[in-house]
Structure formats: structure tokens, C-alpha cells
Amino acid sequence: KEFSQRFIKDAFGSCNFYEHTTICEQSHHIAYKYATNKFNNGNWTGGKDHLKPDALNSRFILFFGTGAFEANFGPPPMAEKITEGIVSGRLKIAVVDPRFSKTAAKAKIWAPIQPGTDAALALGMIQWILETKRYDGKFLANANKAAAKADGEFSWSTASWLVKLDKNGIPGKYLRASEIGLGDENTFVAIKKGKQQAVNPYDEKNVAEGDLFVNTTVSGFAVKTSLQLLKESAFANSMPEWAKICGISTEIIAELAKEFTSYGKRAVAEFYRGPVQHTNGYYNAQSLISLNLMVGNPDWKGGLGVGGGHFHESGGKPGNPYDFSKLHPDKLGSFGVALSKEKIKYENTTLFNGYPAKRPFYPFTSNVYQEVLPAARAGYPYPIKALFLHKGTPGLSVPAAQTQLDVLSDLKALPLFIASDIVIGESSMYADYIFPDLSVWERWGTPHVTPDVQTTASKVRQPTVAPMTETVKVFGEKMPICLETVMLAVAEQLNLPGYGTNGLGAGLDLKRVEDFYLRMVANMAFGDKKGDMVPEADRNEMELFLKARQHLPKTVFDLKRWKNIVGTEKWKRVVYVLNRGGRYENFENAYSMNYLKHKFGNIFSIYVEPIGTAKHSLTGKPFSGVAVYEPVKDASGKKVSQNGYNLNLITYKDILGGQSRTLPTDYWLSVFLDENYILMNSRDAGKIGVADDDLVQVVSKSNPTGVWDLKNGRKKPVVGKAKVVEGIRPGTVAVSWHFGHWAYGSQDIILDGKKISGDVRRRKGLCTNVVLLTDPHLKNVCMTDPIGGSASFYDTRVKVIKV
């Protein structure tokens, strides 16, 4: 009962589901979240987990491992802005990527980096910027809000704040003013021209600026400024040494740094999957955020922005009619340690028994998807008796995927497996029970927009076609079966509070899916501020609304029922939003003179105290609070050896694939790309005598046979066609995502005694996740970033063998 109630809460609270993918790029979000952490009552709290360039006004964008014309957050709006900028001459771009991507084809500079060395390149650039004094010293010297305001800035940084060092010179906490008699524990310290001064971060009257490069002693405390620590990290290697690590010449590093610092605040370093899906992903991300701070670009037109955000569909703002946090009587909260051991420090648990822990803890991140099943099988911190999987497919999409299949097929480790899915997929095929779910065209949702959009926007996904799933009855109501229907049925059977008649309060039923989502739409319609509601739909709009839904069955759309959910006084405003597929702020509110209208307006931490004061749960050693370069390491902190395997394997997501559809099952898009290839540089292909369309097999240290063992008597070799190209770094091979299915409608199945024929087109291509490295220390999970939690997709070396 307790499990069910918590799961139902999560199911209804998570409206932007990923279909047949994983959340494995968390290091990107965690780096931004902790770099933008606010300081409140002695604690670092809050923060933004995603920032992007204001591409409509940028003059230079340096893309790391992503681009405008690849899978990214918001390709449609971003691609248009980048295209316009390049064509008009307003914008130049550079791309750092081992593969010559579609975006790299439009770039002024393509830097084919050695995979996983993004921090080395960024620190090399920072070294050049510091040496040539091309950094924005005025921005960096601002230590509080008053100083930022005086200089026409809205955000500021901790560049000049003093950090205490221990007896071994290891940075710890920021020096508090209370420790030297200048203020309280919520006040920090900077030095200006040799004079110590208290820094209240949010003081709007008393300007606090500080010297940037300080290495001294204050009242017996050895201290350095944040920027001094970053400088020492940037100068830990010479420029030729950085160049050797990342495989980019010193001339290219200098050219990138010069170009990046030639456009004032309208230059931005943009990154996503490529730099972060490594064991050093967090540090890669932190180095790129620090690079942005060198030019002081936050909140500026053409600079780095948080985007317009969204209207708060879950309520809690003054204008919202429904606050869902208060509409669940007798709700249960979370407790204990998650299987993934996320959001909790090892030292704060009863499991703590010195170092090393039996398995890693991830105190800074969530969604460590890849750890759940292996941890359950290992029984740490506990085994499980049942798994409920919705839309995910860990057995296909996670690195070292065999470690996931081993659990899904193990009846002792996983006695009961229930799935909710739109297909019988590569993971749900192992389930004891599969509940059909709805596709994106049949279901509700409130997905958020990318920070690339500078205006406030909220999208509404709503049923546009009649569901193909069967009709069932729950709480006396007929409705199509889907994830939410299953959860409501569980709630009904267990008589859980918060559901059924008056489930959300007096007169507020929760019997149907739309009982939840229409009230969320009402929150959007009325806005976050009082008096900020949208207009009422007029007669023509109401007519359009009805005509657009006249084909839907009553189990999905019933005008009287929908109207009663939100009430007559709200109904026409709800229709106004539904007709537009969401609510969108006027574009005129995107900018204010030379600034973004929607600003971060807070502190950026160059030295991140919560990270720098935490310890690795296996080694017991502190993490670095400032950006550093690290090689590939396993869970125990040891450098990984892959001797004998000569090629770096990377993967990428083609723009033709998406979250709600995938190649090759989308037959319209498959006309353009019906299978994937092993992309190889001609030098590497020539060494083994491989030409275009030759069949080759990919093997690794973790999987020397290069085979998927499906645990049902079948095996699938990691074999595909080679494509010889010049547009990939020698020593690197690339295989795109989306292909290589063995389920997902690709094979014949027997359903209710009836044979359902598979489509051979869906089997085409290959998926290399099964050859990606298993962690050498843990031996039953992929390698993972110990800070950000990202799964390692790009740290594996392989051999390619001609078949």
C-alpha cells in the first residue's frame, strides 16, 4: 500500500516521460545546479539545472559535443536561430566533437577532440585567457549584488571569495566573516587591495568587490580565492600538455580562446551529452561553465540564459487556482535510502562503516537509472521483490546493458516484473505482466520547453486520436487503459487516500486522468500572478474546440465532464490554452534593452563548496570544488586500463530520432535513414582492410565476443555495416543510437494464442551498448560519474573486426 501510494504520486507528478530512453546525462544538470546554487540561511540551496545561449543574439557559440542540427534540447527553435545567424553573418560557430556532425559542417572551426577530454581543452583555453588578460575582470570582481548592480550586471560570482585550505592545502569551505570577527556565518570574505571585507551576497546597498588572485593567510587560515584555485587548475599542465591530452593542437586551443573572447558577452560555450556522459562528466561540465564566466555572459542579450521558464502547472503560485502540494490528504513522504543511493551522503546513513562503501552513493544527483537493477541484485542496500517499469528500457539503452538484462531475466533477483509500455520492448519483453500504455498522440502531458526559448512557455500534450488500448472501468468510470489508469485502479483496490470521490478535496474528484491534467491546464491559464490569466475563448474558438475533438470517443472527451472538472468560471480560459497547445508569453517580453528579460540574477560559484566538502563514498577522498581534468576512472577511483583495444567508441543521436518515436520504427523517417553504420576514419579502416558496407563486429574488454546474450536461448552479435569517412577523428569509431532492435515489433510473438508477425525492417543496424565497459570494480554495472551520476557512454575502447 505504501509503495503503491508513493508510486502513484510519482506517476502523476512526472508528466514529461522519456520513451525508451534513459536519463543518463545528469552531470550536465548537476554541474549547472551547483554552479548556480543560492545561499540561504547558512545553506546552499536551489539552482538552475539547464542554461543555454540566447542563440537569437549570440555572435559566437562554441558547441561541445552537441549542436543545433543534432538531437538536442529544442532543435526546431535553435536550428532556425543558428541558421539565420550564419546566413546573415551575425553568428560564427565552432564545434568540439570527435565526429564531423551536421553542425560541425557549418562551423568556422571543427576541433575533433579526444573523447572525454573536454575539461583539458576548456582549462587550456582558460589558461590562455588568463595569460592574455582577456577575461572580464570587472564582472569577476563583483562579490555581491550591490557590486553587480553598480556595474550594470544582474548576476555575480564567487571568483573573489576566499576559500579555506586544510594543512595539506586541500580546499574546504568558504571563509565565513564570523570566523575572523567581521560578520556572521552567512557572510563571506574577500580582500580588496590588501583589506579584508565582509561579503553579504545579497546586500543591494554596500558594494563588495575583491581581488581575483589571492593566496595568503587570514587570521591563521590559509586561503585562496575561487579564481586562484581555478587558475592553478588551468596551469596544472602546460599548453602543450593540455594539447596532447585532448588531441588538439596548441594553435587550435589558442584560436578557440581568442575567438571566444572576441565578442564580449555575446559568446557562449554550449554543451550537452558529449562532454558529460563520462566518468569525469561533472568536471567537464564545470570547466565549461567556468569558461562562460570568464567572459561574464550570464543574463546578457546574446549571452548565457536560463530561458523564460514555464507557468507553474502544479500550482503554488499566487495566481494558480489549484495547489497540488496541498491537494493530497494523508499523503506519505519519502524515507530511507533509494536503491540508487542518490540524494544522500553515505556518511549520513546507518550503512556507514568506514570506507569504502559496498557500492557508490550519489548525494548530488537523482535519476541514477543505471544503478537500480544491479544494486537490487547485489542486495545493497536491499533486494527487491517487484519492479514496475514505465516506458524505459534499461536492457537496451544503458551502457554495459548486459548487466541490466542479467537482472531482468533473473527470477531470484526479480521475482515479479510489471511493465507499462506502448510496445513489447527489449526490456518489457521480460515482464510477467505488461499493461498497455498510450502513445504521445493519445495521452496527456505537460512537457517543459528548452531554456533556448527566452519567453515563458508551457506546452500541453493532449489526446488527438482515439486510443488503441482497450477500455476499462475504474472508480465506476470508463476510460482507456494507460499508466495513470493502472495507478488509479491500484488506488481504488487499496482504498488509498487522495483518490476517488473528493480525492483532492471537497468537490475535487480524482477518478480519471483528465481530473488531474485539466486542473494543471487551469493553473497555466490563470498564470503565476494574480490577474495574469489568459482571455476567455470566444464563440468561434469554442466551436473550433468542439469540432477538433468530435472524432474522439466519450471515454476520452466528454464536454460536460471536462467542463465540470474546472468549473464554468474557468472553462473558457482553459479552452483558450488547449486550443493553442499551451500558453506562450509574448515575444516582446524576451528582452529588456541589452539584457534577457528572464534573468538568473544570482550567484555563480566558481568553487562549489557542497562538492568540495564532500567525499567519494568508496575512496573517502574529497572531490574537487573547482573544475579539474581527470582521466577515466572506475567506481573505486582507479584509472581504467583497456590495453589491446585501439579505438575509442562513441555514440550519438541522429536528429531524425526522438524520445516519442525512434528509428527504424518510424517508417516515414526511415526512408531517409533505415539503418546505422560503424563510422570509421579511412586510416583505421585501411589498417584492417575494411571498405564501405563491409560487415564488421565490435568487441571490447568487457565483451570480447561482441555478443548480446538475451537470456532466452538467443544471442545477437554486435555486427553492422562499416562506413568509411574522413569526418571522424582517427582512432575513434562512432555508432548512432536508435537501431539494433531484437524486440519492439522486430520479431514474431504469440499473443493470446495468435501469431503477430514481426517486421524485419525494425531489426536493421546495431546497438553497441552491450560492449560498453562494465565497471571493473563493481563488475555488474556500467561506469558512472561519481558526482553527476551520468552513465559512461564514451569511455570505452574497442576493436573492430572484419566479419
Side-chain angles (χ1 to χ4, degrees):
K1 185 171 183 178
E2 174 187 301
F3 161 80
S4 300
Q5 185 169 345
R6 289 173 62 191
F7 189 86
I8 293 168
K9 177 189 72 174
D10 291 342
F12 274 88
S14 301
C15 306
N16 188 13
F17 292 114
Y18 286 79
E19 293 191 3
H20 298 282
T21 186
T22 58
I23 305 173
C24 291
E25 60 275 335
Q26 284 302 101
S27 296
H28 168 278
H29 304 297
I30 299 307
Y32 265 125
K33 181 177 179 179
Y34 280 90
T36 59
N37 251 358
K38 303 169 186 176
F39 192 76
N40 183 29
N41 294 326
N43 295 306
W44 296 97
T45 180
K48 301 290 184 179
D49 63 4
H50 202 166
L51 285 79
K52 279 200 174 292
D54 171 31
L56 188 61
N57 295 286
S58 299
R59 296 190 61 201
F60 183 75
I61 299 178
L62 177 53
F63 288 102
F64 278 79
T66 188
F69 312 120
E70 334 296 326
N72 193 342
F73 268 90
M78 181 181 285
E80 188 174 0
K81 297 167 191 173
I82 300 300
T83 301
E84 178 278 324
I86 293 173
V87 171
S88 68
R90 163 182 63 82
L91 175 68
K92 295 177 183 178
I93 65 172
V95 173
V96 177
D97 195 321
R99 182 178 65 93
F100 190 65
S101 63
K102 293 180 177 69
T103 307
K106 310 297 181 186
K108 178 180 180 182
I109 303 169
W110 171 46
I113 193 172
Q114 177 71 19
T117 62
D118 305 83
L121 176 55
L123 290 169
M125 289 177 64
I126 290 171
Q127 181 185 122
W128 187 92
I129 291 168
L130 293 174
E131 275 191 326
T132 57
K133 294 182 170 55
R134 288 172 71 93
Y135 55 90
D136 189 341
K138 196 173 182 181
F139 167 82
L140 292 168
N142 293 329
N144 71 353
K145 190 170 185 177
K149 185 177 179 181
D151 286 341
E153 302 278 0
F154 287 88
S155 290
W156 61 102
S157 79
T158 65
S160 64
W161 293 15
L162 299 180
V163 181
K164 294 185 296 181
L165 312 177
D166 68 12
K167 61 182 180 180
N168 296 315
I170 298 174
K173 288 191 172 186
Y174 282 108
L175 180 66
R176 266 52 173 191
S178 58
E179 296 177 284
I180 60 171
L182 279 181
D184 60 25
E185 64 276 6
N186 294 324
T187 310
F188 300 88
V189 182
I191 291 178
K192 182 70 172 177
K193 295 181 180 180
K195 185 179 179 181
Q196 302 158 17
Q197 59 176 317
V199 176
N200 180 339
Y202 300 106
D203 190 333
E204 297 187 43
K205 296 181 180 179
N206 302 300
V207 171
E209 295 178 342
D211 297 331
L212 297 177
F213 305 103
V214 175
N215 180 2
T216 189
T217 300
V218 174
S219 298
F221 294 103
V223 294
K224 293 178 182 178
T225 56
S226 282
L227 197 59
Q228 176 66 32
L229 292 171
L230 179 60
K231 178 181 178 180
E232 291 174 5
S233 183
F235 281 84
N237 286 298
S238 66
M239 188 66 77
E241 288 170 332
W242 285 131
K244 183 178 180 180
I245 290 171
C246 63
I248 303 295
S249 69
T250 56
E251 291 77 15
I252 292 295
I253 295 176
E255 185 179 359
L256 287 171
K258 183 178 180 181
E259 197 74 30
F260 186 71
T261 55
S262 296
Y263 303 94
K265 297 174 181 293
R266 295 196 176 193
V268 184
E270 155 70 345
F271 64 98
Y272 199 53
R273 294 184 180 93
V276 300
Q277 291 180 326
H278 297 272
T279 61
N280 59 6
Y282 171 84
Y283 290 135
N284 287 339
Q286 189 181 14
S287 69
L288 298 174
I289 296 170
S290 297
L291 186 60
N292 279 316
L293 297 179
M294 291 294 103
V295 295
N297 59 21
D299 299 330
W300 284 82
K301 198 173 182 178
L304 186 68
V306 297
H310 62 98
F311 297 94
H312 288 75
E313 66 272 15
S314 294
K317 298 293 182 178
N320 302 148
Y322 304 103
D323 184 351
F324 281 92
S325 68
K326 299 177 180 177
L327 295 180
H328 191 162
D330 302 322
K331 67 178 180 180
L332 293 170
S334 300
F335 64 92
V337 180
L339 266 173
S340 55
K341 297 164 291 296
E342 59 192 45
K343 291 188 175 180
I344 190 168
K345 290 184 177 181
Y346 171 48
E347 298 84 355
N348 293 344
T349 71
T350 57
L351 297 168
F352 182 70
N353 188 26
Y355 303 100
K358 291 183 180 179
R359 295 184 73 85
F361 280 69
Y362 301 94
F364 304 108
T365 188
S366 58
N367 296 315
V368 190
Y369 186 93
Q370 64 273 18
E371 171 68 1
V372 174
L373 293 178
R377 195 183 197 197
Y380 185 78
Y382 43 80
I384 62 174
K385 294 182 178 179
L387 172 73
F388 195 115
L389 182 70
H390 177 232
K391 289 186 180 179
T393 179
L396 175 73
S397 62
V398 168
Q402 193 65 53
T403 61
Q404 309 288 326
L405 290 180
D406 289 345
V407 186
L408 293 176
S409 60
D410 186 341
L411 296 180
K412 291 183 178 179
L414 189 59
L416 177 62
F417 177 17
I418 304 168
S420 170
D421 210 335
I422 60 172
V423 296
I424 299 178
E426 278 74 21
S427 295
S428 55
M429 64 179 278
Y430 297 92
D432 298 291
Y433 301 93
I434 303 178
F435 289 103
D437 194 24
L438 301 177
S439 70
V440 291
W441 303 276
E442 302 166 304
R443 69 173 299 117
W444 288 91
T446 57
H448 292 168
V449 299
T450 166
D452 176 60
V453 176
Q454 298 303 327
T455 49
T456 306
S458 286
K459 297 182 286 186
V460 178
R461 181 184 296 141
Q462 51 192 301
T464 58
V465 296
M468 297 179 68
T469 62
E470 63 189 287
T471 298
V472 295
K473 185 178 284 188
V474 181
F475 285 117
E477 300 276 339
K478 291 183 179 180
M479 62 192 80
I481 193 170
C482 62
L483 172 73
E484 291 92 339
T485 305
V486 172
M487 295 297 99
L488 286 167
V490 172
E492 181 181 29
Q493 289 297 313
L494 297 180
N495 194 29
L496 296 179
Y499 302 90
T501 303
N502 299 322
L504 299 177
L508 302 176
D509 296 346
L510 182 52
K511 297 180 177 181
R512 307 182 58 89
V513 175
E514 57 265 35
D515 286 339
F516 185 79
Y517 287 104
L518 283 173
R519 291 179 180 121
M520 296 181 84
V521 176
N523 281 338
M524 295 179 194
F526 279 77
D528 294 349
K529 298 178 290 187
K530 289 183 178 180
D532 190 31
M533 68 282 289
V534 300
E536 291 186 341
D538 60 21
R539 180 181 298 177
N540 290 334
E541 281 216 28
M542 296 302 295
E543 184 178 345
L544 175 65
F545 175 80
L546 292 174
K547 284 183 177 180
R549 289 158 181 80
Q550 62 185 357
H551 64 289
L552 294 173
K554 271 208 164 188
T555 55
V556 175
F557 173 67
D558 183 296
L559 177 62
K560 182 179 179 181
R561 185 176 68 231
W562 280 28
K563 188 175 180 180
N564 286 340
I565 290 170
V566 295
T568 304
E569 71 284 358
K570 302 183 189 74
W571 175 237
K572 290 184 178 179
R573 301 188 199 277
V574 168
V575 169
Y576 185 92
V577 173
L578 291 174
N579 274 357
R580 288 158 177 77
R583 181 175 180 180
Y584 309 94
E585 184 183 23
N586 289 335
F587 180 74
E588 63 189 25
N589 293 326
Y591 304 101
S592 176
M593 299 178 67
N594 290 324
Y595 306 99
L596 303 175
K597 188 69 175 287
H598 299 281
K599 306 172 183 68
F600 172 61
N602 219 293
I603 310 167
F604 279 85
S605 291
I606 289 179
Y607 175 83
V608 181
E609 184 181 272
I611 305 293
T613 54
K615 293 181 179 180
H616 192 295
S617 57
L618 270 70
T619 68
K621 296 178 180 178
F623 295 116
S624 173
V626 73
V628 294
Y629 167 72
E630 277 193 350
V632 180
K633 293 183 179 181
D634 66 15
S636 69
K638 293 180 181 177
K639 189 175 178 180
V640 174
S641 171
Q642 301 178 73
N643 294 334
Y645 295 88
N646 61 326
L647 299 169
N648 276 99
L649 173 63
I650 64 171
T651 184
Y652 63 96
K653 298 180 79 171
D654 194 276
I655 198 167
L656 293 176
Q659 307 292 22
S660 58
R661 65 187 185 283
T662 188
L663 297 165
T665 58
D666 188 319
Y667 299 126
W668 292 271
L669 293 175
S670 294
V671 171
F672 302 102
L673 185 66
D674 66 344
E675 67 179 307
N676 60 348
Y677 300 86
I678 297 98
L679 304 184
M680 302 183 66
N681 185 276
S682 60
R683 298 184 203 175
D684 299 317
K687 292 175 183 177
I688 56 175
V690 168
D692 280 351
D693 294 328
D694 283 348
L695 288 178
V696 295
Q697 187 165 16
V698 183
V699 300
S700 69
K701 187 174 181 178
S702 291
N703 192 336
T705 61
V707 168
W708 290 86
D709 183 354
L710 306 184
K711 298 295 184 177
N712 60 358
R714 292 176 51 212
K715 293 187 177 182
K716 179 179 175 63
V718 185
V719 172
K721 293 179 181 179
K723 179 173 285 189
V724 182
V725 297
E726 300 305 323
I728 193 166
R729 178 186 176 85
T732 302
V733 293
V735 180
S736 73
W737 172 236
H738 303 302
F739 295 90
H741 291 285
W742 64 81
Y744 213 82
S746 65
Q747 302 286 346
D748 296 349
I749 61 170
I750 304 298
L751 187 62
D752 293 334
K754 181 181 179 182
K755 178 182 174 181
I756 309 294
S757 298
D759 188 335
V760 295
R761 290 176 293 179
R762 296 183 174 220
R763 303 177 205 167
K764 298 185 77 171
L766 75 160
C767 177
T768 57
N769 284 345
V770 76
V771 302
L772 298 182
L773 271 185
T774 300
D775 187 279
H777 177 75
L778 296 173
K779 303 186 187 307
N780 69 346
V781 70
C782 66
M783 298 193 301
T784 300
D785 176 359
I787 302 175
S790 282
S792 168
F793 278 91
Y794 305 113
D795 294 320
T796 301
R797 297 181 69 83
V798 299
K799 288 180 185 177
V800 174
I801 303 169
K802 188 174 180 179
V803 177

